Amino acid sequence: MAPSHHKPRLSQVCDNWRNLIISTPVLWRRLDLTGFSDVKFPLQSFQRLNDTNQLFTCVNELNLSGWSGANAEKIIEIVANSSNFDLEMLCVRNCRNISCKFLDTVIRRCPNIKDLDISAITVCEIEQTLFFRFSHASRGLFFLSFLF
C-alpha cells in the first residue's frame, strides 16, 4: 500500500484513480501528515473530503510530527468525528506548543490508544497529574514515548 503522503498525488493521476482513492476509506488506515506544512495545510478541504466521502472512518494510525499543537488538535477533531474512529497510534513528535488542553483532547477522543509518541514536543504548560490522567484514561496504552 502506498504511504499516505502519496495518496493525494496518486489521486491526481486520472479520474478513476481519484475516485478509487477518495471512495475507499480502508486505504486511509494510516494517515501520515508529516510531509505537509501544518501552516499551509488545507484544513477546510480536508474536512470537506471527510464529510463528503467518510474517508477517515478507518484511521487507526495518525502521524502529525512537527505540527503545531493547535493545528494537530484540529486534525484530531476532524478524524475523531468520523463514525468508526478508533485511533490506536498517535505520533506528535516534535510538535510545538502542545497544551494540556491538547492532551486532554487526546485522552477524551482516543480512549483506545495503544502507542503515543510525544517525544521532543515543546509544551506551553504542563500539569503534574497529566500523565497520571493519561495512564488511567486510556484503556490499552502500551507505549508512551516522551523526551522533553
Side-chain angles (χ1 to χ4, degrees), residues 52-115:
T52 304
N53 303 292
Q54 290 85 38
L55 273 188
F56 310 125
T57 58
C58 294
V59 171
N60 62 10
E61 294 182 21
L62 181 58
N63 190 338
L64 298 168
S65 293
W67 281 52
S68 70
N71 288 336
E73 186 173 356
K74 290 174 187 173
I75 292 294
I76 288 173
E77 286 292 334
I78 291 170
V79 175
N81 286 329
S82 296
S83 61
N84 298 333
F85 187 69
D86 191 21
L87 194 66
E88 294 178 0
M89 189 282 289
L90 174 63
C91 180
V92 289
R93 182 182 318 119
N94 293 313
C95 281
R96 303 169 309 283
N97 298 320
I98 295 292
S99 66
C100 285
K101 180 183 178 284
F102 171 86
L103 293 172
D104 280 339
T105 297
V106 171
I107 291 169
R108 184 173 37 83
R109 299 306 303 249
C110 310
N112 297 320
I113 199 156
K114 293 180 176 125
D115 186 354

Side-chain angles (χ1 to χ4, degrees), residues 3-147:
S4 59
H5 62 274
H6 292 308
K7 291 177 186 110
R9 291 185 196 126
L10 291 172
S11 72
Q12 296 172 359
V13 170
C14 68
D15 286 339
N16 289 336
W17 281 37
R18 176 175 174 71
N19 291 335
L20 176 67
I21 289 170
I22 66 170
S23 65
T24 312
V26 74
L27 290 175
W28 298 87
R29 280 188 188 270
R30 177 180 291 157
L31 189 56
D32 185 348
L33 299 178
T34 58
F36 297 95
S37 165
D38 72 317
V39 177
K40 296 179 184 177
F41 189 80
L43 277 170
Q44 292 167 334
S45 297
F46 186 80
Q47 175 74 55
R48 191 171 43 255
L49 201 64
N50 187 48
D51 291 347
T52 304
N53 303 292
Q54 290 85 38
L55 273 188
F56 310 125
T57 58
C58 294
V59 171
N60 62 10
E61 294 182 21
L62 181 58
N63 190 338
L64 298 168
S65 293
W67 281 52
S68 70
N71 288 336
E73 186 173 356
K74 290 174 187 173
I75 292 294
I76 288 173
E77 286 292 334
I78 291 170
V79 175
N81 286 329
S82 296
S83 61
N84 298 333
F85 187 69
D86 191 21
L87 194 66
E88 294 178 0
M89 189 282 289
L90 174 63
C91 180
V92 289
R93 182 182 318 119
N94 293 313
C95 281
R96 303 169 309 283
N97 298 320
I98 295 292
S99 66
C100 285
K101 180 183 178 284
F102 171 86
L103 293 172
D104 280 339
T105 297
V106 171
I107 291 169
R108 184 173 37 83
R109 299 306 303 249
C110 310
N112 297 320
I113 199 156
K114 293 180 176 125
D115 186 354
L116 176 64
D117 185 348
I118 57 172
S119 56
I121 62 173
T122 59
V123 186
C124 55
E125 81 228 23
I126 195 79
E127 293 178 20
Q128 289 183 326
T129 60
L130 181 65
F131 294 110
F132 178 78
R133 288 197 326 252
F134 237 125
S135 64
H136 287 79
S138 180
R139 290 180 242 149
L141 186 62
F142 293 128
F143 303 101
L144 175 60
S145 304
F146 61 95
L147 293 170

